[in-house]
Amino acid sequence: MTPERLADFARSLLSWRGALVDWPDGAPEGLAILPAGVAAQFGVPEETRLSAEPGEGRLAASLATDFLERAEPLLADASPAVTWRLRNASLKKASSEETVAKAFDWLNARVRVRGGHAAEVEYHRWFFRAELVSEDKWEDVVAVTLNSRTGVGLELPDLAGGDDGEWLRKPPPPADSQARAAGLAWDETLRRAAAFLDRMDGKLMRDRERLRNYYGALLKEKKRFRTAPESEEARAKKEERSRIVRLELERKTQELGERYSIRARLTPIGLLRLALPALAIDLSVRRKQDEGVRTVYWNSVLKVMEPLACSRCGRSCFAVAFTDCALEPLCPECLKEERHA
């Protein structure tokens, strides 16, 4: 677990709950002025130091402390969470047709740009607590951001709390993006936990090899001590002992599989909603006899066109096909699978 990711979550959570936070990215410590209720929840003074390291007289955003457990009650009313609205972001002035043509490759449909217009789009930054438990334990705080309209995952900078925006205390209900965010967070969890998973696989293979060597040696030892012709009864007893050894090996191998099995849990612990200006570009999509409208977005913060999310696998894609009838976007890989189905 990197301290930076947990510090990012701590800044967002405390700011959302009304704290004044000064903890620059990369700094070992910061300062915060907390509302009385938040200070009481964490058991610290209202004016407190922030740190990634445990210690006296500070609020430590660390997995070595009970920070996440104490934070959970503050997230109990996450559904009406405030939204951060960015003001006065400039939108692209270039032709919508040119912008779309440079970004996308349409694989199986005729696509025409109908026009672009300014829009306010809500981006959801979800925080999940990821846990993988086996013989050992791995945990992390995973943050993912997605466009709530298209479901496409994006890497956005930390925007909340700056001078160029405002908190909205009574925003509309958020779009239902948790399931899509959980899929993105699971992919990110597997990427971050790759070393842990490899280590568990390595331990499992090592212990299986030890078992095979040990019980294999027992079977060879019984064969080596045969000195005289065996009676039918002796052969039957030997076969029974060998069968018992093999069954014990099978039982021990199953126990190893259970010991090293990985139990995964992904728990949502926070949602930060970002209302950002965007250029929405409506597209007329025609596929065979089906025709419909799809919208793509030019991101005013990243200054780029956003990809579309594949309706089957969720991958981000600029090379886009469309399904029949519903005209849902497909990535090239899912298009191949559909053609071979």
Side-chain angles (χ1 to χ4, degrees):
M1 169 67 182
T2 62
E4 291 79 7
R5 290 198 291 269
L6 195 51
D8 180 31
F9 170 66
R11 282 193 297 266
S12 297
L13 171 66
L14 296 176
S15 297
W16 169 54
R17 299 306 304 198
L20 298 176
V21 180
D22 181 15
W23 191 3
D25 289 343
E29 290 192 349
L31 294 172
I33 300 177
L34 307 176
V38 175
Q41 178 63 31
F42 286 107
V44 296
E46 293 181 22
E47 185 173 340
T48 187
R49 283 191 299 157
L50 303 174
S51 175
E53 297 294 332
E56 292 293 328
R58 67 180 70 175
L59 174 55
S62 168
L63 293 178
T65 69
D66 59 355
F67 174 77
L68 289 180
E69 287 76 8
R70 286 179 176 265
E72 284 184 6
L74 301 178
L75 296 161
D77 59 345
S79 58
V82 295
T83 296
W84 178 258
R85 171 182 284 163
L86 183 67
R87 298 189 298 255
N88 303 323
S90 60
L91 297 180
K92 191 175 181 66
K93 298 294 194 297
S95 146
S96 296
E97 289 85 351
E98 180 183 356
T99 302
V100 170
K102 287 182 177 179
F104 290 97
D105 182 17
W106 310 114
L107 301 180
N108 69 345
R110 293 191 298 276
V111 178
R112 179 175 56 84
V113 173
R114 300 178 64 170
H117 59 276
E120 183 176 87
V121 179
E122 198 171 274
Y123 294 79
H124 292 171
R125 184 166 175 78
W126 281 93
F127 295 88
F128 291 87
R129 183 175 186 173
E131 297 173 279
L132 301 177
V133 181
S134 182
E135 185 198 36
D136 199 358
K137 182 178 181 179
W138 179 94
E139 60 181 338
D140 202 347
V141 173
V142 176
V144 295
T145 305
L146 68 158
N147 181 320
S148 67
R149 296 190 185 183
T150 64
V152 71
L154 299 165
E155 292 288 339
L156 288 179
D158 187 7
L159 300 170
D163 295 333
D164 53 353
E166 59 183 343
W167 291 108
L168 301 183
R169 297 297 170 179
K170 293 184 178 180
D176 184 12
S177 64
Q178 182 174 327
R180 171 64 180 145
L184 294 173
W186 179 241
D187 291 342
E188 178 64 11
T189 295
L190 293 179
R191 187 187 68 79
R192 292 188 192 176
F196 169 82
L197 295 172
D198 288 345
R199 187 168 73 253
M200 291 299 101
D201 284 344
K203 286 185 175 183
L204 176 60
M205 293 175 63
R206 178 202 64 197
D207 288 354
R208 278 177 175 170
E209 184 64 21
R210 287 177 178 174
L211 282 178
R212 285 193 292 265
N213 291 340
Y214 174 74
Y215 286 100
L218 288 180
L219 291 171
K220 290 179 182 178
E221 185 176 318
K222 293 182 182 299
K223 292 180 181 179
R224 195 163 49 243
F225 283 105
R226 188 175 64 187
T227 57
E230 293 181 302
S231 66
E232 190 68 28
E233 182 180 356
R235 279 197 301 272
K237 288 183 177 179
K238 186 185 71 173
E239 289 174 0
E240 178 64 16
R241 285 195 298 268
S242 297
R243 188 181 70 84
I244 290 173
V245 170
R246 288 191 292 269
L247 286 174
E248 184 66 9
L249 171 59
E250 182 179 344
R251 185 180 71 83
K252 291 288 188 181
T253 300
Q254 289 178 349
E255 286 182 355
L256 273 183
E258 294 173 1
R259 177 181 171 186
Y260 286 105
S261 64
I262 295 177
R263 297 170 297 283
R265 184 168 64 177
L266 199 62
T267 307
I269 55 176
L271 168 61
L272 174 64
R273 300 163 61 188
L274 301 166
L276 307 180
L279 178 64
I281 302 175
D282 294 327
L283 308 174
S284 176
V285 180
R286 186 171 183 82
R287 161 80 176 147
K288 297 181 178 178
Q289 301 303 313
D290 303 311
E291 188 168 1
V293 177
R294 286 287 173 266
T295 303
V296 292
Y297 296 91
W298 187 85
N299 190 293
S300 64
V301 173
L302 300 177
K303 308 298 183 186
V304 296
M305 283 297 305
E306 297 178 8
L308 285 172
C310 177
S311 59
R312 298 284 172 80
C313 68
R315 294 187 189 99
S316 299
C317 51
F318 284 104
V320 183
F322 292 92
T323 62
D324 295 339
C325 300
L327 298 176
E328 298 291 347
L330 289 176
C331 69
E333 290 80 5
C334 290
L335 175 63
K336 290 178 183 177
E337 293 178 5
E338 184 174 87
R339 285 173 172 172
H340 293 139

